[in-house]
Amino acid sequence: MSTLLRVEDLHVSYGSIAALKGVSISIETGEFVAVIGPNGAGKSTLLRTVAGLNTPRQGTVLMNGISIVGRAPERLVADGVSLVPEGRHIFGSLTVEENMRLGATTRTDGKLAVDAGIDRMSELFPILKERFRQRAGLLSGGEQQMLAVARALMAAPKLLLLDEPSLGLAPLIVSALYETIANLRASGLTLLVVEQNIQLALRAADRAYVLDTGRIALSGCSEELRAMPNLHQAYFGAVA
Amino acid sequence: MNLLQTAIDAVNLGAIYALAALGVGLIFSVMRLINFAHGELITAVGFTVYALDGQPLVIRLGAGLLAAVVLALLMERTAFRPLRRANPATLLVTSFAVSYLLQHLVVLIFGARPIGVSLLPELSDSVAIGELRLPLLEIVSIAATLALLGGMVFFFRRRPLGIQMRAAAEDFTMARLVGVKANSVIAAAFAISGLLAAFLAFYQVAQSGTISYRMGVDVVLIAFVAAVVGGMGSLAGAALGGLLVGVTSVGLQTFLPAEWRPYRDAFLFGLFIAFLIGRPQGLIFGKAHRERV
């Protein structure tokens, strides 16, 4: 195994408000890593910075040992980093198929490979297949989340960043989504997932970082963290 | 027959305004810029066509088209790209600055008086179809604008760059996150706005036979009204808004009592103010109301 992503001493601010105050994490190729933590801890900022939407004030982001700080988001997609942002952000006025094909914007391996990708997505997400020609805005929340993931996968990423994929979805949909994520992981995809649902994250991920007010408070493999009786009280207030 | 004539006039003006509104609306949807300097693209075409008076028609039209597209790309590169992260108010003020700069550049070189230009004089004849007498210019203009609008629909529905532009119009940040190149999409939007401005200018010069440094101002004002009525941020809305404004304008011209007609535009804008009070989001709800992250 080799380290795919290494974040070192990352500082990110919004104006005068510091969102990340020296965060370091690393992810091995093929790993599933979760970032958990309370609201406002800086989880989304971490993902957005890796994806190129935010510029760090200090610190670096290395992919395969090379700094990717300052690269435009669209360039990073071509380099193998895809973010599914919180709130899904599907293109509602476009059809489901157009959304998926847009995911393949940076692919250079030709139309046949993209068509094969579309076929694979309809296997992974059978619900979407029936709605190919529909406007994506008409999909349910769960279907929109599936589409957002499918769209990101169409870029054939090396590293998939998921921001709160379970937010606002019914429990049944959430477990279907996480089943798909587990399948992706089994097929070799590296995943960095931000989750507020701790139990869910610690069941699915290999390792997790606990982010609290812009700093890594704790990290370890999922079993370890699951076994800590006071994790909830310490970082999330009341027991969930 | 008179009614048919009016209907044809209405379609013509509606299609012309649709081109204008689309040119303005396109730039607004991809970068939240209300580009008042769009009018100077029209002016650039007018003066290019004038400067090449006596040259073959193809060269004059080709050079006019090129002038609009190049000027649009130049505006984007020099004035608006450095400000892409600025807030919409800054962008708006910048577009005024660009607009005034170009207007007064024209005054400096060509003077402030309107200049007579002959473009496509062959089209000033009318053709009789039964009892109907149609200006040739109107027929050609309807055919050209409808073909251009058809081309736009094809481009936005079928071409990858067109679909990328629709995605960028809806959610620019997300478009970048799927790999759409911000610079390419915005440059393409400006190039297309230049193309649309050129067609508008050809019609305007051929129809009025004059050019002046303020020739683009009125059309652009109408284009903004049309884009707002259609729903800022929606491309289909902009085209639809243009059509509606054109048709309404011709309708008022025809059906208002003769002594009120000089005040047609007061009625026109009054109607649209009333419309926007009732439906502030416009005909088609665009994404203008969403914050750009």
Side-chain angles (χ1 to χ4, degrees):
Chain A
M1 276 219 208
S2 61
T3 304
L4 180 64
L5 185 85
R6 183 185 293 280
V7 172
E8 281 171 0
D9 190 32
L10 204 64
H11 292 254
V12 180
S13 309
Y14 296 104
S16 60
I17 299 155
L20 296 180
K21 307 163 188 164
V23 168
S24 301
I25 65 168
S26 75
I27 302 162
E28 304 293 304
T29 304
E31 240 188 337
F32 181 167
V33 174
V35 176
I36 55 181
N39 255 336
K43 307 187 296 293
S44 293
T45 305
L46 178 60
L47 289 198
R48 289 172 57 90
T49 309
V50 172
L53 288 176
N54 292 4
T55 315
R57 209 159 44 78
Q58 193 186 318
T60 60
V61 181
L62 305 167
M63 196 163 135
N64 289 320
I66 299 159
S67 171
I68 56 170
V69 170
R71 287 189 194 172
E74 56 265 37
R75 162 85 197 280
L76 283 167
V77 177
D79 292 340
V81 180
S82 283
L83 169 66
V84 178
E86 185 185 334
R88 309 183 272 270
H89 290 269
I90 53 124
F91 302 111
S93 66
L94 275 58
T95 66
V96 170
E97 187 180 356
E98 283 173 333
N99 267 275
M100 281 200 203
R101 288 194 180 274
L102 270 168
T105 300
T106 56
R107 296 252 308 240
T108 50
D109 47 1
K111 193 182 177 303
L112 282 178
V114 173
D115 288 345
I118 295 269
D119 288 343
R120 182 160 169 253
M121 289 313 126
S122 13
E123 278 167 37
L124 266 171
F125 305 101
I127 322 164
L128 296 178
K129 196 180 180 180
E130 302 154 24
R131 305 184 175 261
F132 254 37
R133 309 255 166 243
Q134 275 185 26
R135 283 180 32 168
L138 301 173
L139 300 181
S140 71
E143 290 163 345
Q144 290 191 7
Q145 184 66 62
M146 306 282 181
L147 177 58
V149 174
R151 181 181 59 184
L153 290 173
M154 284 300 293
K158 296 186 191 108
L159 172 66
L160 183 64
L161 311 169
L162 296 173
D163 196 351
E164 303 274 9
S166 71
L167 198 70
L169 300 184
L172 218 63
I173 310 282
V174 172
S175 46
L177 183 68
Y178 266 82
E179 205 172 300
T180 310
I181 294 173
N183 288 339
L184 293 170
R185 198 247 138 140
S187 67
L189 185 67
T190 311
L191 287 147
L192 178 59
V193 179
V194 156
E195 217 8 296
Q196 267 192 4
N197 186 333
I198 315 163
Q199 286 96 338
L200 191 64
L202 294 183
R203 262 201 312 274
D206 302 313
R207 285 193 301 124
Y209 292 91
V210 179
L211 198 59
D212 187 30
T213 58
R215 290 193 179 84
I216 298 290
L218 201 64
S219 71
C221 66
S222 299
E223 299 93 82
E224 262 169 44
L225 292 174
R226 261 203 313 258
M228 289 176 64
N230 56 353
L231 185 68
H232 278 92
Q233 290 89 325
Y235 299 105
F236 303 90
V239 179
Chain B
M1 271 314 169
N2 216 349
L3 207 63
L4 187 59
Q5 181 103 43
T6 304
I8 291 169
D9 286 349
V11 169
N12 181 42
L13 198 65
I16 294 278
Y17 286 168
L19 290 189
L22 200 56
V24 165
L26 188 60
I27 302 295
F28 181 82
S29 356
V30 295
M31 67 179 295
R32 296 292 172 267
L33 160 67
I34 296 175
N35 186 16
F36 267 93
H38 188 75
E40 279 57 55
L41 300 176
I42 294 168
T43 311
V45 178
F47 280 85
T48 305
V49 169
Y50 163 69
L52 294 173
D53 206 356
Q55 301 291 324
L57 182 66
V58 186
I59 292 186
R60 292 173 82 195
L61 297 184
L65 189 71
L66 198 67
V69 172
V70 169
L71 182 61
L73 289 172
L74 215 62
M75 267 179 203
E76 191 274 319
R77 191 71 190 81
T78 58
F80 298 123
R81 189 177 296 185
L83 295 172
R84 199 174 292 166
R85 284 167 174 276
N87 69 49
T90 311
L91 285 167
L92 176 68
V93 172
T94 308
S95 89
F96 274 120
V98 172
S99 171
Y100 281 118
L101 173 73
L102 292 172
Q103 281 183 29
H104 289 93
L105 206 62
V106 172
V107 172
L108 206 65
I109 301 171
F110 296 95
R113 285 161 185 258
I115 303 169
V117 183
S118 164
L119 180 70
L120 295 161
E122 314 79 43
L123 297 185
S124 54
D125 290 344
S126 299
V127 281
I129 304 169
E131 290 172 48
L132 208 62
R133 288 195 63 79
L134 286 178
L136 210 51
L137 177 63
E138 199 160 278
I139 298 172
V140 171
S141 141
I142 289 180
T145 42
L146 291 185
L148 197 57
L149 287 174
M152 289 289 133
V153 170
F154 174 79
F155 173 74
F156 285 120
R157 297 251 155 238
R158 293 273 174 266
R159 303 302 305 155
L161 184 59
I163 295 173
Q164 288 178 25
M165 288 176 82
R166 277 163 60 213
E170 188 176 325
D171 189 336
F172 195 81
T173 305
M174 192 57 230
R176 298 187 76 187
L177 283 175
V178 297
V180 172
K181 289 199 178 84
N183 288 344
S184 315
V185 163
I186 290 181
F190 272 88
I192 292 173
S193 85
L195 172 88
L196 296 171
F199 272 81
L200 211 61
F202 295 152
Y203 173 80
Q204 195 179 328
V205 175
Q207 197 253 343
S208 71
T210 60
I211 56 170
S212 87
Y213 75 102
R214 285 181 56 82
M215 65 184 281
V217 175
D218 289 347
V219 180
V220 164
L221 204 63
I222 299 236
F224 282 118
V225 173
V228 171
V229 164
M232 271 306 222
S234 159
L235 300 179
L240 210 60
L243 204 63
L244 187 69
V245 173
V247 169
T248 312
S249 179
V250 171
L252 288 172
Q253 180 68 31
T254 311
F255 298 113
L256 274 182
E259 63 272 25
W260 288 5
R261 270 179 216 165
Y263 314 109
R264 180 199 62 195
D265 285 352
F267 287 94
L268 182 69
F269 291 120
L271 272 179
F272 287 120
I273 289 170
F275 170 82
L276 288 172
I277 289 170
R279 194 172 165 79
Q281 71 272 42
L283 285 171
I284 295 179
F285 184 65
K287 288 294 182 287
H289 312 277
R290 182 191 287 177
E291 269 306 298
R292 212 182 114 190
V293 193

